[in-house]
């Protein structure tokens, strides 16, 4: 392990790129390695034990690549495996849930906060428990949104079909009169304009991806290396599809994508 190694991040697919984007904007001097487990996507509907096993494999792989820290850039993996990875890996491990909750608590005026995420994240009650520990008065209204991540992985972030599904999933959260909505899945910031237009201008939309990037930049992980930063991408799915969508979602050209096969 080297003090000057890159920061490693992972997600089930493309969603964690929202954390990568926010991190590059905040700390452009950092080198990053991103692993998108597209070949085993999605994590949300899978049992927590299976997601934990995948998270351990990717954590070990990133440590073999000499990362200085691991960012679990996936709420479903953080809900299932964060504390496990923090014990297992010999580097700091940072999740997306606590930074998102803290940003929501800072933003809410009414104490009524909506959280949307995958089935796994919502079933884990990770947001409700974290919020209760930090601020017992805040009420969390949580809703799983099956289907959203598949739209993102297909490159569709604003079709009428997506808008229709968003109206259905967000109806209970709207009815609860929340003043903040936490995007408790790293894929969802890519749908932010659709989700925001369904919720209306009176609801502040908080991205757990941006809140996490701010938390990482605040804890002085900077390598202090003088060499130009590198951004390396690995996928367990099709590298060409990953390259095309990652370029679009990151808004910048990325180098070749490494293909990883789980044997
Ligand atoms: N991006 C992942 C998250 O934050 C979820 C996608 C999936 O279901 O695999 O939860």
């Amino acid at each position: 392990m080297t003090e000057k190694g890159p920061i490693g991040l992972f997600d089930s697919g493309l969603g964690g790129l929202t954390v990568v984007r926010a991190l590059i904007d905040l700390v452009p001097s950092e080198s990053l390695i991103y692993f998108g487990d597209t070949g085993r996507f999605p994590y949300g509907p899978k049992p927590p034990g299976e997601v934990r096993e995948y998270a351990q494999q990717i954590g070990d792989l990133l440590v073999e690549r000499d990362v200085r820290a691991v960012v679990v850039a996936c709420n479903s993996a953080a809900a299932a495996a964060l504390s496990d990875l923090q014990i297992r890996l010999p580097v700091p491990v940072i999740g997306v849930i606590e930074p998102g909750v803290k940003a929501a608590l800072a933003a809410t005026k009414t104490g009524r906060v909506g959280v949307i995420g995958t089935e796994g994240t919502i079933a884990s009650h990770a947001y409700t428990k974290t919020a209760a520990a930090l601020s017992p008065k805040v009420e969390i209204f949580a809703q799983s949104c099956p289907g959203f991540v598949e739209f993102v992985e297909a490159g569709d972030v604003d079709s009428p079909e997506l808008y229709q599904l968003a109206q259905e999933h967000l109806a209970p959260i709207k009815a609860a009169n929340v003043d903040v909505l936490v995007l408790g899945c790293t894929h969802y910031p890519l749908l932010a304009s659709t989700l925001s237009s369904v919720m209306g201008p009176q609801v502040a939309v908080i991205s757990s991806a941006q809140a996490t990037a701010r938390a990482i930049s605040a804890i002085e992980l900077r390598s202090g290396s003088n060499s130009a930063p590198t951004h390396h991408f690995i996928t367990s799915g099709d590298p060409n599809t990953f390259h095309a969508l990652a370029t679009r979602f990151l808004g910048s050209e990325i180098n070749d994508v490494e293909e990883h096969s789980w044997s």
Side-chain angles (χ1 to χ4, degrees):
M1 194 186 349
T2 159
E3 299 242 311
K4 293 192 174 177
I7 295 178
L9 305 97
F10 75 91
D11 177 57
S12 62
L14 295 158
L17 294 174
T18 57
V19 184
V20 170
R21 177 72 268 161
L23 205 50
I24 291 174
D25 291 343
L26 277 174
V27 276
S29 58
E30 285 292 351
S31 287
L32 310 173
I33 296 187
Y34 179 83
F35 191 102
D37 202 6
T38 318
R40 303 192 294 198
F41 166 90
Y43 283 3
K46 294 196 165 80
E50 188 174 345
V51 174
R52 203 170 301 128
E53 193 184 315
Y54 294 170
Q56 287 172 354
Q57 288 173 345
I58 300 169
D60 291 349
L61 179 147
L62 290 171
V63 167
E64 278 167 27
R65 301 291 181 104
D66 280 339
V67 295
R68 273 180 305 119
V70 169
V71 180
V72 184
C74 172
N75 288 263
S76 310
L82 182 66
S83 50
D84 189 77
L85 291 179
Q86 284 171 333
I87 294 166
R88 181 185 182 90
L89 302 181
V91 294
V93 181
I94 298 134
V96 277
I97 293 173
E98 193 174 305
V101 169
K102 284 184 173 161
L105 296 181
T108 184
K109 294 188 178 67
T110 62
R112 299 173 74 79
V113 172
V115 176
I116 53 173
T118 65
E119 300 97 304
T121 299
I122 299 305
S124 76
H125 303 292
Y127 274 91
T128 310
K129 287 182 199 158
T130 305
L134 291 170
S135 177
K137 280 192 230 135
V138 163
E139 265 189 284
I140 299 289
F141 300 88
Q143 177 71 39
S144 65
C145 298
F148 279 4
V149 294
E150 282 78 4
F151 273 97
V152 172
E153 293 282 325
D156 177 353
V157 296
D158 53 8
S159 67
E161 292 76 18
L162 171 65
Y163 190 84
Q164 171 67 30
L165 185 64
Q167 278 187 314
E168 286 164 25
H169 282 327
L170 296 177
I173 301 263
K174 277 184 88 167
N177 272 325
V178 300
D179 71 340
V180 169
L181 176 69
V182 180
L183 306 182
C185 171
T186 54
H187 280 70
Y188 297 176
L190 295 160
L191 310 175
S193 61
T194 298
L195 302 180
S196 197
S197 70
V198 171
M199 290 306 292
Q202 71 288 357
V203 176
V205 173
I206 304 266
S207 150
S208 62
Q210 264 172 9
T212 303
R214 276 196 296 275
I216 297 164
S217 68
I219 58 171
E220 290 204 75
L221 283 167
R222 278 182 203 102
S223 65
S225 160
N226 289 330
S227 48
T230 57
H231 302 144
H232 185 65
F233 298 87
I234 312 171
T235 179
S236 58
D238 175 48
N240 296 323
T241 308
F242 185 93
H243 186 274
L245 287 171
T247 300
R248 181 172 149 210
F249 289 151
L250 270 183
S252 55
E253 186 52 52
I254 64 171
N255 292 327
D256 283 348
V257 174
E258 179 184 332
E259 188 174 3
H260 179 82
S261 94
W262 296 114
S263 42

